[in-house]
Amino acid sequence: MKFLKSLLITILSITVLSGLVFGGMWFITGHFSNKGVITVPHTKQTMKLVSLGDSLTEGVGDTTNKGGFVPLIGEKIDDNQNIKTTTSNFGLSGDRSDQIYDRLKQQPKIQKALSKATVITLTVGGNDLLQVIQKNILTNDESKLTKAIDAEKVTYLKKLDELFKEIRKYNSNAPIYTISVYNPFYVYFPNMGSMTTIVQSWNNTTKKVIKNDKNSYFVDVAKQLSEGQYYGKKSALTKTSDSSDLSGLSGLNLEKVLQEKDEKNDYISVTDHFHPNNKGYEKMTELLYKSMQENHLFK
């Protein structure tokens, strides 16, 4: 009887011990599939997105007043990648490249956010370009404007390079996605090729700086935001002006555009005929997310 009792106790102990071991393995690794492969429950990752820039980052034109594309890209990453994304928006309307640089230098809050960023977005250059155009808007001599813009591009390149270097002081690894400038008046003056050329040239200057950074990417929204609902359908675009030079953007023509009650570009705000509206910010978000995918942000 003693031997039988001892044997039963031993068997029972082994059974209990095995159950504890197996149960512990099941708790840690998940459960066995029908094929006998252990599957591990996916734990949601986190991402910190920090956005620097001008009015496009601030979200001017967004009627929800939530911050334009910044919350939208956070939501898109969260929904599609199962990554919990927190966003910090440091956009300020009217800022040129040097003013964004100055804010970064002077504000520890921005510096701290950058140091913890997983990914960085930047909108820059639009106000730099606008400043040059405003100074020369009354000239009908395109050669003079071209010279003025070429001279300013050299200055802009230096300022943007300084901004990138300052960002990298606080974060040397996070990818930087820089969003292009666009032509908000294209739909009104589709024949004015000079303005399109100016925008392309300015974006090319931005690209030069991006190429010098080891982990930076250019998000080109120029064509789709400029052409709006006519993207890829230029022949269907109503020719509202026969202008082929900058005279179309001066005087009464420009004033008429700014006083329009409706906006002819479905992606541009009816309030100022300049910034994106909600649909425009959604398009920016779509193109930004596509760039993030193509450049392997989500591994």
Side-chain angles (χ1 to χ4, degrees):
M1 289 293 293
K2 287 184 178 181
F3 171 78
L4 181 59
K5 184 178 181 180
S6 298
L7 181 60
L8 289 173
I9 292 173
T10 301
I11 293 172
L12 181 61
S13 298
I14 292 173
T15 302
V16 172
L17 182 60
S18 298
L20 288 173
V21 171
F22 179 81
M25 288 178 63
W26 186 90
F27 179 79
I28 294 172
T29 63
H31 61 278
F32 289 97
S33 67
N34 291 333
K35 295 182 179 180
V37 178
I38 298 175
T39 59
V40 181
H42 179 67
T43 301
K44 200 166 191 177
Q45 297 173 303
T46 60
M47 177 175 287
K48 294 182 179 180
L49 185 145
V50 177
S51 298
L52 295 177
D54 48 33
S55 55
L56 296 184
T57 294
E58 183 180 337
V60 175
D62 171 15
T63 59
T64 69
N65 296 315
K66 292 181 179 179
F69 76 87
V70 178
L72 293 179
I73 189 63
E75 292 169 5
K76 196 169 186 68
I77 293 171
D78 200 349
D79 293 341
N80 291 276
Q81 298 295 329
N82 197 33
I83 298 175
K84 179 60 180 177
T85 307
T86 59
T87 61
S88 299
N89 190 328
F90 296 105
L92 185 61
S93 181
D95 264 11
R96 301 183 307 272
S97 55
D98 56 319
Q99 293 172 315
I100 299 172
Y101 171 85
D102 289 341
R103 282 198 294 124
L104 174 52
K105 289 276 286 186
Q106 296 165 9
Q107 296 185 24
K109 182 179 180 180
I110 301 178
Q111 298 166 7
K112 184 177 180 181
L114 281 176
S115 69
K116 297 180 179 180
T118 311
V119 58
I120 301 165
T121 67
L122 178 65
T123 59
V124 64
N127 292 305
D128 299 72
L129 175 57
L130 188 60
Q131 185 180 59
V132 187
I133 293 175
Q134 287 174 333
K135 288 180 180 178
N136 297 272
I137 193 67
L138 296 178
T139 182
N140 288 323
D141 189 339
E142 288 194 29
S143 64
K144 288 183 179 179
L145 178 62
T146 300
K147 288 180 181 179
I149 288 178
D150 286 344
E152 189 58 34
K153 279 194 300 185
V154 176
T155 303
Y156 170 62
L157 189 148
K158 292 179 180 178
K159 290 178 180 179
L160 188 58
D161 185 59
E162 289 178 352
L163 175 58
F164 267 73
K165 288 178 179 177
E166 191 65 22
I167 292 173
R168 287 307 185 197
K169 284 184 182 180
Y170 305 101
N171 194 318
S172 59
N173 297 317
I176 301 175
Y177 291 86
T178 303
I179 298 173
S180 72
V181 299
Y182 59 93
N183 176 11
F185 304 118
Y186 176 82
V187 171
Y188 288 89
F189 306 101
N191 294 330
M192 191 165 55
S194 56
M195 189 60 189
T196 299
T197 301
I198 288 170
V199 170
Q200 289 174 343
S201 177
W202 203 259
N203 282 329
N204 287 337
T205 302
T206 301
K207 288 179 183 180
K208 288 180 181 178
V209 178
I210 290 174
K211 287 181 180 179
N212 290 330
D213 188 89
K214 64 179 181 179
N215 195 16
S216 289
Y217 308 97
F218 184 76
V219 183
D220 195 349
V221 304
K223 195 169 181 62
Q224 291 195 316
L225 258 65
S226 298
E227 298 181 11
Q229 70 272 29
Y230 299 105
Y231 176 69
K233 303 175 183 178
K234 186 175 180 180
S235 60
L237 180 60
T238 302
K239 303 295 189 294
T240 57
S241 171
D242 292 328
S243 296
S244 58
D245 56 38
L246 284 169
S247 63
L249 275 182
S250 61
L252 295 176
N253 283 333
L254 183 56
E255 185 178 351
K256 181 180 178 182
V257 170
L258 296 176
Q259 289 179 349
E260 289 276 355
K261 292 183 179 180
D262 297 318
E263 170 58 50
K264 295 183 179 181
N265 184 335
D266 286 352
Y267 292 170
I268 303 298
S269 170
V270 68
T271 303
D272 60 15
H273 303 282
F274 191 86
H275 292 93
N277 56 19
N278 295 10
K279 190 172 182 178
Y281 281 117
E282 288 172 3
K283 177 56 67 174
M284 286 176 64
T285 302
E286 175 189 321
L287 296 172
L288 173 57
Y289 182 74
K290 182 179 179 182
S291 180
M292 288 177 170
Q293 287 181 304
E294 291 175 346
N295 294 291
H296 310 293
L297 177 63
F298 313 113
K299 298 179 180 179

